[in-house]
Structure formats: C-alpha cells, structure tokens
Amino acid sequence: MEHKTNVMRELDKLKIQYRHYCYVDTDAISGIDVARVLNQNPSQVFKTLVTIGKSKKIYIFMVPVANELDLKKAAKSVGEKSIDMIKSKELLPLTGYIHGGCSPIGMKKIFTTVIDKSAEQFETIIFSAGKIGYQVEISLTNLSKVIRYSIEDIIEH
C-alpha cells in the first residue's frame, strides 16, 4: 500500500471519493512536469499558492500549473488593494506544508481560498495531496465538502 498523506486521511474520514497519484520515483519538479509524468492535462492540474494581502491576511489561490496567478485579479477577488506571494520559509509554520507540497486541504488554519474559474470546465481537478510526490484528484463538488472556496478569474491571460 502506498503512503497515505494527511490530505488522503482527511478525505477518507469524510468518506469523500478521490483518486490519488504518486510520482515520487520520477524526475518531476514543476507542476508541468507532474502533469506530464501523470499523463494528465496541465490545465486540469492545479498548484496551490499562498499569498498575503496588504491587510496582512493570508489567502490561498489555486491555478492551473501552466498558468500564472494574476496578482491584480487575485487581490480584487478577495477585496485587497494588493497581494504578494508568501516567502517559502514562511509556508511551513503558517500552513503546515512545504513549497511544492502545499494543499488547500488540511492547512493549520482555514484561509480564504479562490480557485481559478477554468476548473469548472473539468469534472475533477488534480492538486497536491500535501506532500511532494503525491496528488489527489477530486470533483469541485466533493472539494466543497472539505473546504470553502470561491471561483474567480485569477490567471494571467
């Protein structure tokens, strides 16, 4: 049996259906690499980005791995004047996750989460299972049973 991450345990506990993937024994580093080794559409594989607003509030944004977060659109989506990416060293104490293994599920605190609207074109999306080398695939409907999120246009076009 493969290693279960905290994200998978959380989904199991809530009896939420998901698929999981392991790419530990691959050369995948970037999100695009992960999509490639999992033989998945990069538009369906999402990265979880942790940001801080001018108000010092923390926000989570999920965007497809091949896209960049539009900081202006992201700030507007959460009612902030501006937002910046969190420094890598601040991730673990803040979220419980390290860079490359950040999942919107199972963070130390509940943060406002925004998912790019492109997610709506897929039955499921794939994102980090909370540990480098592991991904979960879940429908937005099932994800909404675990975390609260909004859907907005937050990527650069």
Side-chain angles (χ1 to χ4, degrees), residues 57-84:
K57 277 184 71 180
I58 302 299
Y59 300 97
I60 309 303
F61 294 97
M62 294 179 69
V63 300
V65 294
N67 294 92
E68 293 301 318
L69 178 67
D70 183 315
L71 294 174
K72 280 193 171 71
K73 286 182 187 175
K76 186 178 176 206
S77 77
V78 293
E80 285 280 356
K81 282 192 172 79
S82 64
I83 58 163
D84 290 300

Side-chain angles (χ1 to χ4, degrees), residues 88-99:
S88 279
K89 68 179 190 321
E90 295 171 20
L91 267 179
L92 184 61
L94 197 61
T95 65
Y97 292 124
I98 61 167
H99 182 77

Side-chain angles (χ1 to χ4, degrees), residues 11 16-18 138-147 149:
L11 293 170
I16 290 175
Q17 194 176 1
Y18 67 94
I138 187 172
S139 70
L140 287 176
T141 305
N142 280 340
L143 184 56
S144 71
K145 296 172 185 171
V146 191
I147 63 166
Y149 62 83

Side-chain angles (χ1 to χ4, degrees), residues 89-139:
K89 68 179 190 321
E90 295 171 20
L91 267 179
L92 184 61
L94 197 61
T95 65
Y97 292 124
I98 61 167
H99 182 77
C102 206
S103 178
I105 299 172
M107 289 197 177
K108 285 184 172 181
K109 289 185 185 160
I110 295 171
F111 299 112
T112 298
T113 302
V114 180
I115 301 174
D116 184 66
K117 70 176 181 145
S118 63
E120 292 180 311
Q121 64 190 320
F122 301 104
E123 282 188 27
T124 57
I125 61 170
I126 301 165
F127 53 87
S128 175
K131 190 171 181 153
I132 293 174
Y134 298 89
Q135 299 271 301
V136 290
E137 180 176 352
I138 187 172
S139 70

Side-chain angles (χ1 to χ4, degrees), residues 22-38:
C22 177
Y23 63 93
V24 171
D25 299 326
T26 70
D27 60 353
I29 295 170
S30 74
I32 293 172
D33 292 341
V34 171
R36 179 182 45 79
V37 301
L38 297 180

